Amino acid sequence: MDEMNQEVSGMKEFSAGDIVTGKVVKIEEKQVLVDVGYKVEGIVPISELSSLHVEKASDAVNEGDELTLQVKKVEDDEIVLSKRAVDADKAWQDLEAKFESGEIFEAEVKDVVKGGLVVDIGLRGFIPASLVETYYVEDFEDYKGKTLSLKVVELDREQNRVILSHRAVVEEEESAKKQEVLQSLEEGQVIEGTVQRLTDFGAFVNLGGIDGLVHISQLSHQHVEKAADVVEEGQSVKVKVLSVDRDNERISLSLKATQPGPWHDIQNKVNSGETLEGTVRRLVSFGAFVEVFPGVEGLVHISQISNRHIGTPDEVLEEGQTVQVKVLDVDEGAKRLSLSMKELERDETRADIEQYEREEDNSGFSLSDMIGDKLDKYKK
């Protein structure tokens, strides 16, 4: 009897709320038995193993595991314990610290439910669908078992509510990367980017963290009606940085500045004395500008428009008209092309005269009959 009393008196005394440690000695389907030094083995019901739903006890613990547990109920022949309560209390303290500091941490997605994702962080954490990514996700099934970087965005211990966000982490990373790229950009720099989206006024190009705008006027050396005529979304392009506004995070880019201009190597494309076809683009008081290549306009001075005297270019020409011109001078450096229509008229007249002089059979036609008023213009 004395030995029995000594053994009983040596047993630990427990009260509800106590924190104890014990070793898993047996795992049953719906409960776990733990040796905590009590006269009977402690019982951890499956509902007290985890904050998440557990199908069978072996999914949560293994035989031989050392567990820290909270005493839920004590009777002479039974002691009920909870692993979930200890994990939850520790998790709340940890989450409150993370919430205050804004710390980023990782957790595995345990389940996909209506409206979002569930993670186990010592208690049940919920990631609403709108806080998973910065873009719309149609199907979340692939996220199950995936580890995500998270931030705590809402805590309510009384309501047992823990709201987490992966989107906040992504946005924070994108913001940091944006600032890094923004600080590295310099005016005049040529960099590679990807066309992100097209608008009526140009194209936005992603530079690896921030978008810059290529205005429609900077897409090509030629006139552009819409951006889609020059680039397409997803296309890799080289662009030149025109300006950087770090305060407002605005970057102006140019695509055409990285490409050979229409005047490039013009002296090897055009020779003085050559005849070209062009379109009258503009009429001014001192002459007409004629486009002979895309983006290349030359001036036909008013004195070179006609062999007869004219007061204004519109007496002879109109915008949009197709004309033949003769190249008088080419200056690539100054982007200047001097053209003449009058010289072509004179060349034609000379050719008519030479043709006439070569005729061996003079059938009685006079020179004026043959070339009409061209002779009169030439004599003038």
Side-chain angles (χ1 to χ4, degrees):
M1 181 67 70
D2 289 340
E3 288 180 3
M4 184 178 295
N5 289 335
Q6 289 177 1
E7 185 178 341
V8 171
S9 63
M11 288 289 179
K12 295 178 182 178
E13 294 294 330
F14 297 109
S15 301
D18 287 352
I19 303 299
V20 300
T21 58
K23 185 177 182 179
V24 177
V25 294
K26 187 177 182 182
I27 298 176
E28 298 177 353
E29 186 177 357
K30 297 299 179 182
Q31 65 182 22
V32 173
L33 302 182
V34 183
D35 180 7
V36 292
Y38 194 57
K39 56 187 175 182
V40 292
E41 290 170 342
I43 298 171
V44 185
I46 192 169
S47 62
E48 295 296 332
L49 282 173
S50 173
S51 59
L52 302 182
H53 175 72
V54 178
E55 288 292 337
K56 52 184 186 294
S58 58
D59 291 339
V61 295
N62 297 308
E63 196 169 311
D65 284 354
E66 291 283 346
L67 304 179
T68 300
L69 307 161
Q70 184 184 79
V71 178
K72 302 295 288 184
K73 184 174 72 171
V74 182
E75 295 180 354
D76 285 343
D77 57 348
E78 184 181 67
I79 179 170
V80 180
L81 308 165
S82 174
K83 177 178 180 293
R84 179 171 66 89
V86 174
D87 291 344
D89 187 61
K90 182 180 178 182
W92 276 113
Q93 294 179 39
D94 185 48
L95 286 171
E96 285 167 357
K98 285 180 167 64
F99 185 46
E100 289 295 325
S101 66
E103 181 184 340
I104 295 170
F105 59 97
E106 292 187 341
E108 182 183 338
V109 176
K110 293 295 186 181
D111 201 6
V112 176
V113 296
K114 185 178 180 180
L117 308 174
V118 174
V119 296
D120 182 7
I121 44 177
L123 44 83
R124 189 179 190 273
F126 182 59
I127 312 171
S130 61
L131 297 182
V132 176
E133 300 289 357
T134 56
Y135 51 87
Y136 174 73
V137 178
E138 186 172 353
D139 186 1
F140 287 100
E141 283 303 320
D142 290 342
Y143 283 80
K144 191 169 183 179
K146 187 176 180 180
T147 299
L148 297 178
S149 300
L150 303 165
K151 287 186 75 172
V152 182
V153 294
E154 186 183 339
L155 280 180
D156 190 333
R157 193 162 185 169
E158 289 184 3
Q159 298 293 326
N160 199 35
R161 181 187 298 130
V162 180
I163 306 300
L164 308 171
S165 174
H166 175 61
R167 175 176 179 168
V169 177
V170 175
E171 288 177 340
E172 192 174 291
E173 291 172 348
E174 288 178 348
S175 179
K177 192 172 184 180
K178 178 189 289 187
Q179 288 303 315
E180 182 182 346
V181 174
L182 196 60
Q183 295 303 319
S184 70
L185 293 176
E186 297 293 340
E187 187 176 321
Q189 187 178 359
V190 175
I191 52 179
E192 192 164 319
T194 304
V195 178
Q196 195 74 7
R197 57 192 173 94
L198 306 180
T199 68
D200 292 339
F201 51 85
F204 283 95
V205 176
N206 185 276
L207 305 176
I210 189 170
D211 289 351
L213 173 64
V214 181
H215 190 266
I216 195 165
S217 63
Q218 292 295 326
L219 283 171
S220 174
H221 292 286
Q222 302 175 38
H223 175 71
V224 177
E225 289 290 341
K226 55 183 186 294
D229 292 338
V230 182
V231 292
E232 60 183 19
E233 291 182 3
Q235 180 181 347
S236 294
V237 292
K238 282 189 177 180
V239 289
K240 183 176 182 179
V241 179
L242 299 182
S243 66
V244 181
D245 183 346
R246 292 185 173 86
D247 292 335
N248 295 304
E249 298 185 355
R250 291 178 181 171
I251 305 165
S252 296
L253 306 170
S254 175
L255 179 61
K256 75 177 184 181
T258 65
Q259 301 171 341
W263 288 87
H264 177 70
D265 205 30
I266 193 69
Q267 287 180 309
N268 289 324
K269 297 177 184 176
V270 179
N271 298 312
S272 295
E274 188 175 349
T275 300
L276 302 172
E277 184 175 88
T279 304
V280 178
R281 293 301 182 195
R282 290 177 292 144
L283 298 177
V284 293
S285 60
F286 53 86
F289 285 94
V290 177
E291 186 179 49
V292 292
F293 294 109
V296 176
E297 292 182 2
L299 174 64
V300 182
H301 191 268
I302 192 169
S303 64
Q304 293 294 326
I305 290 178
S306 177
N307 279 294
R308 66 182 176 84
H309 175 74
I310 59 173
T312 58
D314 59 9
E315 293 178 25
V316 178
L317 300 171
E318 59 182 26
E319 292 182 0
Q321 181 180 348
T322 300
V323 294
Q324 298 288 321
V325 291
K326 182 177 181 178
V327 179
L328 300 181
D329 184 56
V330 184
D331 187 339
E332 182 178 331
K335 295 183 179 179
R336 187 169 59 237
L337 195 60
S338 298
L339 307 171
S340 175
M341 295 172 61
K342 182 173 75 173
E343 286 291 322
L344 277 184
E345 285 188 15
R346 288 183 174 177
D347 290 346
E348 290 173 5
T349 302
R350 290 193 190 96
D352 288 342
I353 294 172
E354 291 172 0
Q355 178 65 30
Y356 172 76
E357 291 175 344
R358 284 197 297 268
E359 291 292 337
E360 296 179 358
D361 181 17
N362 188 338
S363 58
F365 291 103
S366 66
L367 182 62
S368 60
D369 290 334
M370 185 169 184
I371 61 176
D373 62 353
K374 289 184 180 180
L375 181 60
D376 293 332
K377 290 180 182 178
Y378 179 68
K379 288 178 180 178
K380 291 178 182 179

